[in-house]
């Protein structure tokens, strides 16, 4: 997301949804912050899929991109492999445990 007002727009959409659906919130079902988190994720995904977002994001030309040079390509490869192993392990967890892990780490 860029700094062109996207954060304000999404925050506003989240707040409106929260107010709109507050009567449907059930304390026995989940914590309030979990409920609000799920609304937030839903609104962010909706925004990223929207036509507005796709029109506001301009692709960079290849000439404008910086190439990262790594002094030790072997270390970068090993880090990538470790990340893949962690993600594979995470994907083997139950959905609710995956969500808890992602909320804590990411």
């Amino acid at each position: 997301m860029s700094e062109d007002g996207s954060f304000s727009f999404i925050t506003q959409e989240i707040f409106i949804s929260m107010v709109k659906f507050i009567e449907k919130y059930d304390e026995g079902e989940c914590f309030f912050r979990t409920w609000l988190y799920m609304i937030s994720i839903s609104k962010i995904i909706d925004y990223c899929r929207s036509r507005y977002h796709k029109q506001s994001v301009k692709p960079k030309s290849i000439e404008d991109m910086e190439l990262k040079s790594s002094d030790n390509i072997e270390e970068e490869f090993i880090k990538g492999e470790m990340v893949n192993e962690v993600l594979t392990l995470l994907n083997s967890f139950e959905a609710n445990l995956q969500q808890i892990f992602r909320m804590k780490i990411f």
Side-chain angles (χ1 to χ4, degrees), residues 22-105:
I22 193 74
E23 293 176 354
K24 294 183 180 184
Y25 169 67
D26 180 12
E27 289 180 14
E29 193 172 322
C30 64
F31 290 112
F32 180 78
R33 67 179 177 213
T34 304
W35 179 76
L36 186 58
Y37 174 80
M38 295 308 296
I39 290 174
S40 302
I41 293 299
S42 175
K43 289 299 172 182
I44 291 169
I45 291 170
D46 289 348
Y47 175 78
C48 289
R49 289 180 181 161
S50 73
R51 176 179 286 160
Y52 172 78
H53 172 70
K54 290 177 182 174
Q55 290 174 350
S56 67
V57 174
K58 297 176 184 155
K60 293 181 179 180
S61 69
I62 197 160
E63 290 83 20
D64 295 338
M65 294 183 185
E66 285 185 35
L67 296 176
K68 295 181 181 178
S69 66
S70 176
D71 292 337
N72 192 343
I73 198 159
E74 185 178 354
E75 280 184 29
E76 293 295 322
F77 180 78
I78 291 170
K79 284 180 188 177
E81 288 296 310
M82 291 174 73
V83 167
N84 286 336
E85 287 178 27
V86 169
L87 289 175
T88 302
L89 179 64
L90 177 62
N91 289 333
S92 71
F93 293 165
E94 294 178 20
N96 59 345
L97 294 175
Q98 288 182 25
Q99 185 178 8
I100 291 169
F101 184 82
R102 287 189 170 106
M103 288 171 52
K104 276 290 199 188
I105 302 301

Side-chain angles (χ1 to χ4, degrees), residues 8-21 36 39-40 43:
S8 298
F9 175 77
I10 292 172
T11 303
Q12 177 180 337
E13 290 296 311
I14 292 167
F15 183 77
I16 290 170
S17 292
M18 180 193 67
V19 170
K20 190 175 180 181
F21 296 108
L36 186 58
I39 290 174
S40 302
K43 289 299 172 182

